[in-house]
Amino acid sequence: METGVTRLSVVDIVVVAVYFVIVIAVGIYASCTASKGSVSGYFLAGRRMTFITVGASLFVSNIGSQHFIGLAGSGSAGGIGVGAWEFNAILLLQLLGFIFVPVYIASQIYTMPSYLNKRFGGKRLRIFFAMLSLILYIFTKCSVDLYTGALFIQQSLGWDLYLSIFGLIAVVAVLTITGGLTAVIYTDTFQAVLMIFGASALTVKGFHDIGGFDGLWSQYPLAVANETVANTSCHEVNEHWNVLLRPLSDTEMPWLGFLMGQTPGSIWYWCTDQASNPSPSSAIITVIVQRSLAAKSLSHAQGATLLAGLIKTLPLFIMVMPGMISRVLYPNEVACSVPEKCYEICQSYAGCSNIAYPKLVLGIMPIGARGLMMAVMIAALMSDLDSIFNSASTLFTIDIYKHMRKNPSTRELLIAGRIFVVVMTVTAIAWVPVVKETQGGQVFLYIQEVTNYLVPPVACVFLLAVLWPRCNEKGAFWGLMAGFLVGAVRLVLLFAFPGPDRCGDSDERPAFLRDFQYMYFAVMLFWLTCAVSVVVSLLTDRPDHTQVRSLFLKMSTFCAIVFVSVVSHNILDQIHEEQK
């Protein structure tokens, strides 16, 4: 099935406008009713959220336009294998709920930098964490969000990609809403419902149009564009497209590399990815860990991770498979391989798999419904960008600029934060050409590769901080430095010697870049950091005994309470059954 170019109609544009009015109203209402008179109220919604609200917010915090674009794009390019990341997240969410959150609550902290400061003391780890977060914001979050959001606008309205980027930034600047975590959580919950139902409806419609699962399984391997590059195989579907964990010989996602190498990156994302300062005057970033800390109790936080894990089974069906369906329905556009043709379609020489989801929305959804879907995607993106801008400003001014300047005024900090956001945005826009041409144009795989060169050391240090009382500040710091240096060198070399970005190009990179798959490199990076941290900790003084003992006793108490509660509940159930 191939159709002409489809754009948003006037009705769709009206739906988008009405949707944004509703979102703004919900945000303002929640802001007015939120408890913001304290740090806990502003940053953690008064710690009164139930597991349903927090679980939905955990899911939507992870799912944004880059997820829909990325998962659907990789699904269209390589099959269901990319869905393995979602199942990996199910397990790591439980690590957050049952190992990390009890420690964070026992430590009485609001943010991850403050946990590092309380666990190890000193300022070095806090500054490093802030700098690493800013690097990741620029190269994996801000740039990717701008690119994926602009793709939605480009496909919907037919604008130039970079005009779409500047239009997106303008809308974010006009419609930014502040008001603490409560406003964002309630807005996210509203969007999560629409996302899931809208994406589910799109999936059902897509399967209906191609003849169900049997139609997808039979047609997807044959979905090839009419025009191809002679004597190449880049237009062909991966031979392992129908398995989640691919053989060791697979260069994109070998099962051993995925299980061992992706896990540290997932630990960083799900268990430690939150960076801000508990200053009521500073802006707020509300990401994964902070959502969990907003729960009214430990049991609600753990219930939220279980609920979020359950919902994480959906993306394989409502994002990855729709991307595959889009390739079946629109092979000449989604599966294009001729570089010049691809650039005409999506302004990328590497391929157009990233347009799979918006193309499917515009192609098969009825008028009005496609406007609503586009509005949900763009609103989620705007929420992400708003959080990124606020968090980056806070991190730079509080954790970095204040250490460079003695006693800066509030006005000076405000100006410095705004200037940094402008610099970060310009840098991110300049980086967009790299994002859209790397990893064969698959934005989701680009994110995974870059983060896996930088975050495994962070995952190692947090695991040691939570599980090994003997780890001290010197061990953690030098372990991070060693891991970061090795990972950063690899990342610089990766962009200094880029791989083939067009169909037909040969891979001229050195063997240690070409043949050393990034997931295996992440495994090495993780254990290198752990080894350095352990050795340095053992060779230097023990951490403050009272501080560490208090943290771990509290953690043990929480775990004991949970265990006793579960056992008692089972005993009471058995007694009740016997009485019957």
Side-chain angles (χ1 to χ4, degrees):
M1 172 182 173
E2 283 285 352
T3 62
V5 176
T6 305
R7 307 295 185 196
L8 290 184
S9 67
V10 174
V11 174
D12 293 317
I13 294 174
V14 170
V15 170
V16 171
V18 171
Y19 178 83
F20 279 117
V21 170
I22 294 174
V23 169
I24 292 171
V26 171
I28 292 174
Y29 172 79
S31 175
C32 293
T33 58
S35 171
K36 298 181 290 181
S38 65
V39 172
S40 175
Y42 186 78
F43 279 84
L44 302 179
R47 278 182 166 152
R48 58 186 176 84
M49 293 295 167
T50 65
F51 76 94
I52 295 176
T53 305
V54 176
S57 190
L58 278 171
F59 175 72
V60 81
S61 298
N62 168 239
I63 300 297
S65 64
Q66 62 175 254
H67 230 75
F68 278 87
I69 289 282
L71 284 177
S74 291
S76 70
I80 68 172
V82 70
W85 266 276
E86 302 307 295
F87 287 88
N88 179 262
I90 295 174
L91 300 177
L92 272 299
L93 272 166
Q94 310 326 311
L95 187 68
L96 168 66
F98 291 88
I99 299 296
F100 283 91
V101 166
V103 176
Y104 295 152
I105 294 178
S107 303
Q108 297 180 334
I109 53 92
Y110 301 113
T111 68
M112 296 305 94
S114 62
Y115 172 73
L116 290 177
N117 186 65
K118 192 167 186 176
R119 170 64 176 84
F120 293 112
K123 299 178 179 178
R124 296 188 299 182
L125 290 174
R126 187 168 189 161
I127 293 174
F128 172 84
F129 197 78
M131 293 181 65
L132 179 61
S133 296
L134 292 176
I135 292 172
L136 291 169
Y137 284 161
I138 294 172
F139 297 109
T140 67
K141 293 188 177 182
C142 187
S143 57
V144 171
D145 276 347
L146 290 174
Y147 171 56
T148 55
L151 271 181
F152 271 106
I153 296 174
Q154 180 205 40
Q155 293 297 307
S156 302
L157 302 176
W159 293 1
D160 176 81
L161 183 66
Y162 294 95
L163 176 62
S164 300
I165 289 175
F166 287 111
L168 186 62
I169 293 173
V171 172
V172 172
V174 172
L175 297 180
T176 293
I177 304 172
T178 58
L181 182 56
T182 303
V184 179
I185 280 186
Y186 280 119
T187 304
D188 280 354
T189 304
F190 174 64
Q191 291 178 179
V193 173
L194 289 179
M195 271 188 189
I196 294 173
F197 279 98
S200 299
L202 179 69
T203 302
V204 171
K205 180 68 165 62
F207 273 116
H208 176 269
D209 288 354
I210 64 169
F213 276 100
D214 290 340
L216 177 62
W217 249 239
S218 62
Q219 296 177 62
Y220 176 76
L222 307 177
V224 177
N226 292 334
E227 297 182 42
T228 61
V229 179
N231 302 318
T232 66
S233 60
C234 42
H235 58 278
E236 298 175 359
V237 174
N238 189 300
E239 61 178 319
H240 305 297
W241 65 270
N242 57 351
V243 294
L244 280 175
L245 296 179
R246 297 176 179 175
L248 292 176
S249 58
D250 189 84
T251 58
E252 189 175 277
M253 210 179 82
W255 69 266
L256 182 61
F258 178 81
L259 293 178
M260 297 182 64
Q262 181 55 38
T263 299
S266 296
I267 291 174
W268 163 78
Y269 182 84
W270 290 108
C271 304
T272 74
D273 180 24
Q274 187 273 328
S276 182
N277 288 275
S279 167
S281 63
S282 65
I284 184 170
I285 171 72
T286 55
V287 285
I288 302 303
V289 174
Q290 199 159 352
R291 309 285 171 133
S292 301
L293 296 181
K296 64 194 300 183
S297 67
L298 175 62
S299 60
H300 275 274
Q302 293 171 333
T305 60
L306 289 169
L307 176 61
L310 177 64
I311 302 175
K312 284 293 285 181
T313 59
L314 293 177
L316 174 63
F317 303 99
I318 65 175
M319 297 177 197
V320 178
M321 289 185 181
M324 300 167 66
I325 293 171
S326 185
R327 177 176 180 134
V328 172
L329 295 178
Y330 313 106
N332 288 327
E333 296 169 280
V334 175
C336 75
S337 59
V338 179
E340 292 73 19
K341 184 68 175 179
C342 292
Y343 193 85
E344 291 178 9
I345 297 169
C346 63
Q347 291 185 242
S348 171
Y349 291 107
C352 291
S353 59
N354 287 325
I355 71 169
Y357 201 85
K359 182 66 182 175
L360 190 65
V361 170
L362 292 168
I364 70 172
M365 292 287 273
I367 293 176
R370 63 192 182 197
L372 182 60
M373 281 297 294
M374 286 296 175
V376 171
M377 297 299 103
I378 296 174
L381 168 79
M382 288 168 55
S383 178
D384 288 345
L385 286 173
D386 183 34
S387 294
I388 291 168
F389 292 155
N390 285 332
S391 181
S393 175
T394 301
L395 285 169
F396 178 75
T397 55
I398 305 301
D399 281 326
I400 297 176
Y401 190 79
K402 284 187 70 173
H403 293 284
M404 298 166 54
R405 293 271 297 170
K406 291 185 178 180
N407 302 319
S409 65
T410 301
R411 186 171 185 275
E412 182 181 347
L413 289 175
L414 183 62
I415 293 173
R418 289 176 175 174
I419 291 174
F420 179 77
V421 168
V422 172
V423 172
M424 181 185 73
T425 304
V426 171
T427 305
I429 294 173
W431 195 252
V432 166
V434 177
V435 174
K436 67 188 181 74
E437 303 295 347
T438 304
Q439 278 285 1
Q442 296 186 54
V443 68
F444 191 81
L445 295 186
Y446 160 82
I447 296 171
Q448 305 308 320
E449 182 168 14
V450 173
T451 54
N452 273 288
Y453 291 144
L454 298 177
V455 303
V458 177
C460 168
V461 166
F462 268 89
L463 280 173
L464 290 176
V466 169
L467 301 176
W468 190 44
R470 182 64 177 81
C471 185
N472 61 20
E473 192 272 346
K474 292 185 177 66
F477 178 76
W478 290 112
L480 279 174
M481 288 299 100
F484 177 75
L485 179 62
V486 174
V489 169
R490 164 84 180 208
L491 188 60
V492 170
L493 290 174
L494 176 72
F495 293 115
F497 300 95
D501 57 1
R502 302 189 188 193
C503 182
D505 291 350
S506 59
D507 194 341
E508 303 293 340
R509 293 177 296 170
F512 69 91
L513 289 177
R514 183 182 63 249
D515 300 331
F516 195 1
Q517 215 266 357
Y518 73 89
M519 292 182 182
Y520 291 121
F521 184 86
V523 178
M524 183 205 72
L525 208 56
F526 178 82
W527 290 110
L528 170 66
T529 302
C530 290
V532 172
S533 298
V534 169
V535 170
V536 174
S537 294
L538 292 175
L539 294 178
T540 53
D541 296 334
R542 288 179 174 272
D544 185 89
H545 180 69
T546 303
Q547 182 184 31
V548 174
R549 182 174 180 270
S550 174
L551 289 174
F552 278 83
L553 277 179
K554 288 180 180 179
M555 180 192 72
S556 301
T557 301
F558 272 104
C559 293
I561 291 174
V562 173
F563 176 76
V564 171
S565 299
V566 172
V567 172
S568 301
H569 180 72
N570 290 336
I571 292 174
L572 290 174
D573 282 346
Q574 291 178 6
I575 293 174
H576 184 66
E577 290 296 327
E578 291 176 359
Q579 288 177 346
K580 285 183 178 181

